[in-house]
Amino acid sequence: MLTVNQEKELFKNFALKHRQIKTFYFGDEWETALGENIDYPLMIVTPEGTSVTGSKVTRNYLIIVSDLVNLDESNETIVLSDVELMCFDLPNYLRSVSN
């Protein structure tokens, strides 16, 4: 079983290795606003609780991947498509590094 710190490192390594994600944050979403310089696309991983059933431990995370849309929304479809692809990349990465 992985610890929370080990799972955080998995998410962080994904973000660092991903060619598009520029900023990674682990913690409460609202705390990212405290950061001075956020480069987008941004990936936030927020712990949402842990449950234990017998010897099985399940952790839930809220994962947010976001990017900026131009004021005139001219890049909205591109941003939606790119963010969706980044989200699809995460489970593939986790499967590739699972033990």
Side-chain angles (χ1 to χ4, degrees):
M1 176 183 78
L2 297 175
T3 66
V4 172
N5 281 329
Q6 290 169 322
E7 290 180 353
K8 174 186 173 183
E9 285 303 308
L10 282 175
F11 291 124
K12 182 179 176 182
N13 287 335
F14 167 77
L16 290 172
K17 292 177 181 180
H18 199 281
R19 62 181 174 81
Q20 290 174 287
I21 297 171
K22 293 192 170 102
T23 304
F24 171 79
Y25 183 76
F26 186 91
D28 293 325
E29 179 184 359
W30 64 269
E31 291 177 325
T32 59
L34 303 175
E36 293 179 18
N37 296 344
I38 296 176
D39 289 331
Y40 288 87
L42 163 69
M43 179 179 168
I44 304 168
V45 177
T46 302
E48 291 283 300
T50 302
S51 62
V52 179
T53 305
S55 62
K56 182 179 179 184
V57 175
T58 302
R59 292 191 189 95
N60 296 304
Y61 295 96
L62 171 65
I63 299 170
I64 300 168
V65 178
S66 62
D67 200 355
L68 298 176
V69 174
N70 296 335
L71 287 175
D72 66 358
E73 297 181 359
S74 60
N75 68 335
E76 182 177 17
T77 304
I78 293 168
V79 168
L80 286 171
S81 179
D82 287 352
V83 167
E84 183 179 71
L85 285 173
M86 287 181 250
C87 291
F88 290 157
D89 289 341
L90 179 58
N92 292 330
Y93 172 79
L94 294 175
R95 277 191 288 275
S96 74
V97 296
S98 69
N99 47 15

